[in-house]
Amino acid sequence: SPRGGSRIVHEPIGVCALITPWNWPINQVVVKVIPALAAGCTCVLKPSEHAPLSAMLFAEMLDEAGFPPGAFNLINGDGALAGAELSRHPDVDMVSFTGSPRAGVAVSRAAADTIKRVTLELGGKSPNLLFADADLEGAVNWSVAACYSNAGQTCDAPTRLLVERPVYEDAKAIARQAALATKGGDPAKEGDHIGPVVNARQFENIQRLIQIGIDEGATLLAGGVGRPDGLEVGYYVKPTLFADVGNEMTVNREEIFGPALCMLPFDTEEEAIRLANDTPYGLGACIQTGDPA
């Protein structure tokens, strides 16, 4: 728009390197590639080496749709090699990365020498504030389902459920029922169940953190270490629910990235906000209340 003698012009930034995670392997590709192409940028996509097939199918779709050669490019490889090379490449103008904080730091460092733009979406330990005037049954059931969705492998999953004290005991009982009712099962079969986590490393880290939660004295209302009954093969995790979690406990501080929910009470709105913000992560947050104001 003209402003005196000045004009603001929106132009494509240039070549975008898009590095996507394994946990939502087509969603994360689409939400990066489509805006880049729509803005007039060419892009190079590097999907996670743990989930490359969705991106390869997507590349075939773009080719069949008639995108000009070179507008969209796909590179497969791991983060340490392919991701680092894209991040530092002088012909790349911007890097968009979704994944772990550790890898996000590596991308930022690699991109710094060529002073390119970097956009990161990293881990989360997102608070979910539940006030006494909410529809308790509906709110707690939604909260448990939102945490366990995708076997808990969601960066902005509401994994810390903070409940106003007058309804805390009732909320624990509802959450326990919901957790116990959540079943694991074959992800290739239709049905209301959660699948296994992505790989052995992820499985072992989740087991380690659940054991730490037990050792630190959180009340285990559902789940725990080991595989669910009847699912001895595969990286299945028991849908786990911790209550009476201390704010400084490891399970309340670290991203578990599995189906594990932490519950703790609060007394005042001010305390709820303080607890919600007392985290090294800043990604998602939920408030559930009957009072819109």
Side-chain angles (χ1 to χ4, degrees), residues 80 137 253:
E137 189 91 26
R253 310 298 299 178

Side-chain angles (χ1 to χ4, degrees), residues 58-146:
F58 182 75
E60 292 177 15
M61 292 177 196
L62 286 191
D63 184 53
E64 286 180 25
F67 277 84
F72 170 83
N73 307 274
L74 174 69
I75 290 177
N76 279 303
D78 65 12
L81 183 64
E85 201 57 44
L86 279 172
S87 301
R88 74 167 69 95
H89 199 288
D91 289 340
V92 170
D93 299 288
M94 177 182 179
V95 183
S96 172
F97 171 82
T98 301
S100 71
R102 187 186 72 236
V105 169
V107 166
S108 298
R109 284 191 175 133
D113 287 344
T114 46
I115 318 178
K116 53 173 61 73
R117 284 197 214 176
V118 177
T119 300
L120 305 175
E121 192 215 333
L122 306 177
K125 194 71 184 174
S126 298
N128 178 7
L129 275 52
L130 176 51
F131 288 89
D133 61 357
D135 162 23
L136 195 63
E137 189 91 26
V140 173
N141 280 309
W142 178 87
S143 300
V144 173

Side-chain angles (χ1 to χ4, degrees), residues 9 16 26 61 99 129-130 151 156 164 172 189 194 204 234 289:
V9 179
C16 298
I26 193 66
M61 292 177 196
L129 275 52
L130 176 51
D156 61 352
E164 197 169 6
K172 284 201 296 188
K189 292 180 179 171
I194 59 173
E204 284 156 13
T289 170

Side-chain angles (χ1 to χ4, degrees), residues 123-126 159-160 209 212 216 245-256 262 264 274-281:
K125 194 71 184 174
S126 298
T159 51
R160 291 187 293 142
L209 285 163
I212 287 171
E216 289 184 349
V245 173
N247 191 47
E248 296 306 316
M249 285 185 182
T250 304
V251 287
N252 198 58
R253 310 298 299 178
E254 291 191 20
E255 184 178 38
I256 299 172
C262 293
L264 53 160
R274 178 181 63 76
L275 289 169
N277 288 328
D278 184 8
T279 173
Y281 297 100

